[in-house]
Amino acid sequence: LALWISFLVLIGFSTQQTGVHQAYTHTDFTEKVDAMFEQWDRKDSPGAALGIFKDGKIIYACGYGIANLEYSIPWTPQTVSRTGSISKQFTAMCIAVLIEQGKLSLEDDIRKFIPGWPDYGDPVRIKHLLYHTSGIREYLTLGELLGKPEGSGYVYTPRELVDILSSQKELNFRPGEMYSYSNSGYFLLAEIISRLSGMKTSAFAKKHIFDPLGMKNTHFHDNPNMIVKNRAYGYAQEKNGGYRLNILRLEVIGDLGIFTTVEDFLKWDRNFYKNKLGEGTQDLIKTMLAGGKLNNGQEISYAFGLRTENYRGLRTISHGGSAVGYQAFYLQFPDQRFSIVILSNLNTFRPGRIARNIADLYLADQFTEPPDSSQRQQPSKQRPEPISLLPSQLKGYAGKYYSDELKISYPLTVENGKLILTLKGVPYHLTAYSLDNFVWRSFESEFELKFTRNKENKITGFELQEDIVKNIKFEKIRDH
């Protein structure tokens, strides 16, 4: 299948020696690269598009598998796809342009742009949104708590999200105290861009990024009814085989929303070396690549929608993206002027691993450190064994609970000796780990409920939290 295009590089690639490194032709590694995509390179499978860039040119680009299963349309480097959180760097570039224009400062309090934003004592500043140090609760998790998880078919508008976030009475932590990845921050940045510029963020990005760079097939997708030619549709793997359609229909952008192609992404990648945006100086790129700092002065590797790190001893700029049925990854080695971008329309695809494997091939003689063979896994959360409570004990927890922050009520009932929380008509079993500590597993998250009592030992409510949403309070408004 492997519908692909590849381009000869006119400068810097030959079969001769250049300096201390072995140069190579564009065909040396293509078979090995194609083999990395082989399991998806079928007529009945979602797949991906790959672009490998060197010195501002495409040295290999290829499509694997199917972009639209209904019509058997194959992937190509011209296929338009969602990129998930890769969108954040484009949102950040809009902010960088506004800073260069003197209309915005990293130190600006976001209350300047979002009337009604709560006063938490310490101001949330633009820099906190950019560097994921704001402490603002994650809107995707709040959506779960409202019964509107990502990809479920529920649609919320930007205005609704601003209202939800503005209703939160607490932050997860003091702004600038720590790094915690936040989609909420980049959604709010998109709102600020729109309010400050007087135009939609999608239009601002088109005017200041996509048009100057000639990215004709790239846009922020804030109109879910928009027809996009050559679009890849997202798919999810079914447990018993096959696939199902898995796409987003959202007006929300900033943290996500970019549609692009491999060929268009070359133009974005090339701009890091010779900037054409804003005033056209490299100062704009320096702003984009400057990492953040915590309150204690500790530097972090997250910059303007990009991670600035090292891979096997070489400096890298990168970001991944996920949006329900889509996966994407961008990896640049700026000192080698070498980049890889992968776009996929399958939720289980893992482009980051493949991108690094491709880099291992092409840059093998330039790495200064061996591959990391260790399997990096998140430590599993250790819990005590669940306990069993008598129906008479569970009866005290039953009732109706209300959150002023979420503007939603949760009924808790006792059924067949179990405590049940019902959300949008769906019952969830609460597991007890101690007398007043329960766990609720909802969609892809695990929430802890800690019940509170008054002096008479009567249950008055509970606090609910998850890793990126802390201490949401519910008040008991009615007994069972």
Side-chain angles (χ1 to χ4, degrees):
L1 183 60
L3 297 173
W4 60 270
I5 61 171
S6 57
F7 297 84
L8 289 170
V9 177
L10 301 179
I11 300 174
F13 286 82
S14 68
T15 56
Q16 301 174 354
Q17 295 287 335
T18 57
V20 297
H21 301 305
Q22 173 65 47
Y24 44 85
T25 69
H26 71 292
T27 58
D28 280 344
F29 301 118
T30 55
E31 289 186 5
K32 292 181 179 179
V33 169
D34 290 343
M36 296 180 191
F37 295 85
E38 186 175 7
Q39 71 181 89
W40 303 280
D41 193 24
R42 309 192 316 263
K43 294 181 179 180
D44 61 349
S45 172
L50 163 71
I52 305 175
F53 313 146
K54 171 66 178 169
D55 290 328
K57 297 180 177 66
I58 295 177
I59 61 171
Y60 190 61
C62 188
Y64 306 92
I66 302 299
N68 184 305
L69 291 174
E70 289 88 340
Y71 293 96
S72 299
I73 300 172
W75 267 96
T76 74
Q78 299 84 32
T79 300
V80 179
S81 182
R82 270 194 181 272
T83 61
S85 287
I86 284 180
S87 307
K88 289 180 171 67
Q89 59 200 277
F90 295 94
T91 304
M93 177 59 87
C94 292
I95 291 292
V97 168
L98 288 170
I99 291 173
E100 187 178 65
Q101 292 174 350
K103 297 178 180 178
L104 193 65
S105 164
L106 286 177
E107 299 297 328
D108 282 342
D109 186 336
I110 68 171
R111 298 178 73 198
K112 180 178 178 180
F113 312 104
I114 305 177
W117 186 260
D119 181 358
Y120 295 112
D122 295 305
V124 176
R125 304 185 189 278
I126 296 294
K127 65 181 181 182
H128 297 137
L129 303 183
L130 282 164
Y131 300 132
H132 301 289
T133 60
S134 69
I136 295 172
R137 291 167 173 166
E138 174 58 62
Y139 84 77
L140 292 174
T141 305
L142 295 176
E144 285 193 51
L145 294 173
L146 290 167
K148 298 181 178 182
E150 185 182 31
S152 64
Y154 290 101
V155 177
Y156 34 75
T157 66
R159 178 176 293 182
E160 286 175 320
L161 275 189
V162 171
D163 289 344
I164 291 169
L165 292 173
S166 298
S167 297
Q168 304 307 299
K169 295 184 174 8
E170 294 182 24
L171 299 173
N172 287 335
F173 51 84
R174 181 186 170 203
E177 185 177 90
M178 62 182 290
Y179 169 90
S180 180
Y181 191 83
S182 170
N183 289 293
S184 297
Y186 273 77
F187 159 70
L188 290 171
L189 285 172
E191 285 296 296
I192 290 168
I193 293 164
S194 178
R195 297 179 187 200
L196 187 57
S197 67
M199 57 181 14
K200 283 187 173 183
T201 298
S202 56
F204 186 92
K206 183 178 188 300
K207 178 179 179 181
H208 292 280
I209 302 177
F210 308 139
D211 285 351
L213 296 182
M215 299 174 70
K216 296 181 179 180
N217 294 304
T218 303
H219 70 279
F220 264 117
H221 198 71
D222 57 0
N223 176 5
N225 298 315
M226 178 181 177
I227 294 173
V228 181
K229 292 184 178 180
N230 300 320
R231 178 206 303 219
Y233 281 82
Y235 298 95
Q237 186 93 47
E238 294 280 30
K239 292 181 179 179
N240 55 355
Y243 307 95
R244 61 180 173 83
L245 199 62
N246 202 22
I247 59 175
L248 288 172
R249 288 184 52 81
L250 290 178
E251 299 174 27
V252 175
I253 61 171
D255 59 311
L256 77 175
I258 285 289
F259 278 46
T260 192
T261 70
V262 162
E263 290 188 351
D264 260 17
F265 215 89
L266 169 68
K267 300 170 184 177
W268 171 252
D269 176 77
R270 193 159 50 198
N271 193 66
F272 283 95
Y273 304 110
K274 189 176 181 180
N275 177 46
K276 295 180 180 180
L277 304 180
E279 296 177 0
T281 72
Q282 286 303 108
D283 288 342
L284 195 66
I285 302 303
K286 291 178 182 177
T287 296
M288 285 285 292
L289 299 181
K293 288 185 178 181
L294 301 182
N295 295 338
N296 62 7
Q298 178 186 342
E299 295 183 356
I300 59 176
S301 62
Y302 203 93
F304 273 47
L306 291 160
R307 301 185 189 278
T308 55
E309 300 171 312
N310 285 274
Y311 177 67
R312 297 186 59 190
L314 301 183
R315 199 162 59 96
T316 63
I317 297 166
S318 68
H319 212 288
S322 175
V324 185
Y326 300 87
Q327 299 286 333
F329 196 79
Y330 172 50
L331 176 62
Q332 182 193 99
F333 292 83
D335 298 329
Q336 288 69 38
R337 298 175 72 91
F338 179 86
S339 300
I340 300 159
V341 63
I342 299 173
L343 310 177
S344 173
N345 64 335
L346 180 60
N347 69 326
T348 55
F349 199 88
R350 295 295 175 261
R353 173 180 53 82
I354 295 175
R356 285 183 281 269
N357 288 343
I358 292 171
D360 289 341
L361 280 177
Y362 281 84
L363 302 178
D365 60 347
Q366 300 188 49
F367 290 120
T368 60
E369 297 175 1
D372 184 1
S373 59
S374 64
Q375 296 294 322
R376 297 178 182 177
Q377 295 181 345
Q378 293 290 336
S380 58
K381 187 176 291 186
Q382 298 297 318
R383 292 193 183 279
E385 289 295 316
I387 65 171
S388 296
L389 297 178
L390 297 173
S392 59
Q393 292 175 299
L394 292 176
K395 187 177 179 181
Y397 300 104
K400 191 173 186 179
Y401 296 78
Y402 179 75
S403 168
D404 188 47
E405 295 175 283
L406 296 176
K407 306 294 189 292
I408 193 171
S409 297
Y410 287 171
L412 269 63
T413 56
V414 179
E415 300 175 21
N416 299 320
K418 296 180 179 180
L419 187 62
I420 303 295
L421 183 153
T422 302
L423 175 59
K424 298 289 184 180
V426 179
Y428 296 94
H429 170 215
L430 302 185
T431 302
Y433 285 89
S434 66
L435 186 60
D436 286 335
N437 289 275
F438 290 72
V439 168
W440 160 35
R441 292 175 179 86
S442 165
F443 308 107
E444 295 184 359
S445 298
E446 185 176 276
F447 299 100
E448 296 183 20
L449 284 78
K450 184 177 182 180
F451 286 88
T452 55
R453 297 174 181 264
N454 59 19
K455 293 180 180 179
E456 289 75 37
N457 204 36
K458 184 177 180 181
I459 292 172
T460 58
F462 62 80
E463 288 187 357
L464 183 151
Q465 65 181 15
E466 195 252 5
D467 288 341
I468 47 182
V469 168
K470 305 290 187 183
N471 304 325
I472 295 182
K473 294 176 175 59
F474 280 76
E475 178 186 0
K476 192 173 188 180
I477 59 174
R478 191 177 69 202
D479 288 329
H480 60 85

